[in-house]
Amino acid sequence: TQTYYALCSLQHRGQDSAGIAVSDGNSLNLHKNMGTVAEVFKVEHLQSLTGHIACGHVRYATAGSATLENAQPMVMNSKLGGIAVAHNGQLVNYEQLREILEETGSTFTSTSDTEVILKLIAKSYKKGLEKALTDTIQMIRGSFALVVMTEKCLIGARDPNGIRPLCLGRVENGWILASESCALDAVNGSFVRDIQPGEIVIITEDGVLSFEFGERTSKRTCIFEYVYFARPDSVIDGIAVTEARLKMGACLAREKPIPADVVIGVPDSGLSAAQGYSEQAGIPYAMGIIKNKYIGRTFIAPTQKERENLVFVKLNAVRSVVEGKRVIVIDDSIVRGTTSKRLVQILRRAGAKEVHFRISSPPVKFPCYFGINTPSRGELISSQLNSEEICAEIGSDSLEFVSAEGTMEACRE
């Protein structure tokens, strides 16, 4: 049940599939399916998952499509025992490793890079778990925050750059590893510390053992965690997410000011930046855009045209806030530009006199290879057009991005 609650609080990190594996000390038991945590787990599932160690996952499909065989945790039983793996991130040498494993007789049931991690650990398992883990981690490249579970222990590991987050907390009678600190709060746990880049922690009934896996490490957390991914109430690597967003907004106001009557944010990740902009600029902040809470990723919109029109269902302007006013709209990023274009139409329809777009992260010009499902370069509007051209494309009166240095400074502070 605790794992279920923790996963509910991490639901924003992925809505494609969810799963929980549990160990009772002798064997591993798994339930996973497509959909959100609430869709996947019913009372009977939670009642059948009994044990004293658990490992859960919500998936946002990057490497490998959103199918059940790619859902996590991935579990493997061998004569040496069971292993479950949950992985956040993306391996860049996944194809090569898979080929090597296939040549030595491994078979794969999924197209996910996580299965490669599972097979590598299993391959060296006879050398002992610690050695199997360090061997595996020295072979994989890319971003990985990992939780590995056996019948007797729980392990956490983070790549040498710490690209994806992972933290350690205490619960009433044990320990918890999670992608974000808000999951610890959900189970009434207390935050202990972040797992360091290049660190492995092994949790057994004797306590927590930590060791480095011998790579040169440097903290290079994905800045998009602070821009968009993380929940506003989380603290990652000592940086409070809301604080970083407020500062990004304030920086945007200093760098790209414009006279206006009201500042509004695009829910949810644009709201804190909008507050920061408003305070810095001395222009009132208001809730000018309302988001429909009940539209998940599973909402049906088969064609591109319908997907574009979905913005009208998802977001709406508050006429009394924007009518007759010069409006500054703060959003966290522009990816394809379709949402921004529709938002301008929505605000004009509600009577906004001027619409000035301000973006609290620099232009996204290139796809990400570390676990963000960004479209190809051709679909990224900022890789094709400059600010003035994007402004014309989305129909706003002006458009400006915060500088890369400004974004960094907001997090460094």
Side-chain angles (χ1 to χ4, degrees):
T1 318
Q2 281 189 311
T3 312
Y4 172 81
Y5 291 149
L7 286 183
C8 287
S9 75
L10 294 175
Q11 187 71 82
H12 60 285
R13 295 192 73 83
Q15 297 94 43
D16 294 327
S17 65
I20 297 175
V22 172
S23 163
D24 58 6
N26 298 311
S27 62
L28 306 185
N29 188 3
L30 167 74
H31 177 72
K32 63 180 180 180
N33 216 327
M34 302 309 293
T36 60
V37 179
E39 287 166 339
V40 170
F41 292 97
K42 300 293 173 258
V43 178
E44 61 271 20
H45 300 130
L46 295 175
Q47 283 171 344
S48 69
L49 291 166
T50 54
H52 65 294
I53 313 175
C55 155
H57 189 267
V58 286
R59 185 157 190 263
Y60 158 78
T62 50
S65 55
T67 56
L68 185 55
E69 53 274 13
N70 288 339
Q72 298 186 39
M74 291 198 169
V75 173
M76 185 171 166
N77 287 298
S78 72
K79 53 182 180 290
L80 295 163
I83 317 165
V85 173
H87 166 214
N88 174 29
Q90 195 166 338
L91 305 185
V92 291
N93 61 344
Y94 149 72
E95 304 280 351
Q96 298 95 300
L97 290 174
R98 185 170 166 140
E99 263 175 50
I100 294 163
L101 284 163
E102 283 176 334
E103 279 162 16
T104 56
S106 290
T107 54
F108 288 83
T109 56
S110 78
T111 54
S112 161
D113 53 350
T114 308
E115 196 178 0
V116 163
I117 300 173
L118 188 64
K119 291 280 169 22
L120 285 170
I121 297 170
K123 214 166 183 56
S124 336
Y125 205 29
K126 55 182 173 294
K127 301 176 187 171
L129 187 59
E130 211 168 293
K131 183 80 175 82
L133 273 166
T134 43
D135 282 0
T136 298
I137 280 166
Q138 273 152 355
M139 288 182 81
I140 59 182
R141 294 274 172 270
S143 67
F144 53 89
L146 289 180
V147 176
V148 180
M149 181 181 79
T150 68
E151 283 90 351
K152 301 281 189 272
C153 70
L154 186 67
I155 297 136
R158 202 171 167 194
D159 72 68
N161 293 307
I163 297 169
R164 296 279 153 233
L166 191 64
C167 65
L168 174 71
R170 279 224 75 137
V171 284
E172 197 181 333
N173 51 0
W175 300 88
I176 175 171
L177 290 162
S179 284
E180 288 182 44
S181 62
C182 65
L184 313 182
D185 301 328
V187 294
N188 199 19
S190 57
F191 175 84
V192 175
R193 64 181 183 85
D194 290 285
I195 302 303
Q196 293 307 302
E199 182 186 8
I200 295 177
V201 289
I202 298 184
I203 304 168
T204 63
E205 50 199 14
D206 303 325
V208 180
L209 167 77
S210 156
F211 60 96
E212 303 288 317
F213 51 80
E215 297 268 345
R216 276 213 332 264
T217 64
S218 63
K219 192 170 282 177
R220 294 177 179 156
T221 317
C222 168
I223 206 155
F224 231 64
E225 288 286 349
Y226 301 106
V227 171
Y228 168 75
F229 263 135
R231 222 169 77 158
D233 51 334
S234 286
V235 178
I236 296 174
D237 290 330
I239 301 167
V241 174
T242 289
E243 194 63 22
R245 289 178 187 169
L246 285 166
K247 288 195 161 107
M248 285 174 199
C251 180
L252 193 48
R254 286 192 298 274
E255 290 182 352
K256 307 289 163 66
I258 191 148
D261 306 306
V262 68
V263 177
I264 64 175
V266 180
D268 290 299
S269 39
L271 300 180
S272 300
Q275 278 174 300
Y277 190 105
S278 153
E279 282 164 27
Q280 180 69 39
I283 301 169
Y285 165 81
M287 281 291 286
I289 299 168
I290 300 299
K291 181 181 178 181
N292 184 333
K293 290 190 190 74
Y294 304 99
I295 294 183
R297 296 261 297 274
T298 49
F299 195 80
I300 299 159
T303 69
Q304 179 58 32
K305 187 89 195 105
E306 282 165 329
R307 272 199 297 278
E308 287 173 22
N309 287 334
L310 193 53
V311 179
F312 293 127
V313 186
K314 215 172 190 175
L315 301 169
N316 199 18
V318 182
R319 182 173 282 273
S320 60
V321 170
V322 303
E323 193 167 23
K325 296 202 175 113
R326 297 169 300 171
V327 181
I328 295 173
V329 191
I330 312 288
D331 204 354
D332 63 82
S333 56
I334 289 185
V335 181
R336 289 184 175 88
T338 44
T339 300
S340 312
K341 188 175 186 169
R342 290 287 185 255
L343 262 176
V344 173
Q345 293 173 355
I346 287 167
L347 289 160
R348 298 228 193 264
R349 189 176 68 186
K353 192 161 83 180
E354 292 173 15
V355 179
H356 300 283
F357 244 89
R358 293 291 178 273
I359 308 298
S360 62
S361 65
V364 179
K365 294 188 174 186
F366 307 95
C368 169
Y369 300 100
F370 293 115
I372 304 178
N373 202 3
T374 36
S376 66
R377 203 171 157 186
E379 290 177 274
L380 292 169
I381 196 166
S382 290
S383 93
Q384 309 295 316
L385 309 174
N386 63 29
S387 300
E388 293 77 47
E389 290 166 330
I390 298 170
C391 183
E393 175 63 33
I394 68 172
S396 57
D397 293 284
S398 74
L399 166 74
E400 299 286 358
F401 294 85
V402 73
S403 67
E405 194 40 58
T407 316
M408 293 291 279
E409 208 41 61
C411 294
R412 277 199 203 107
E413 283 179 31

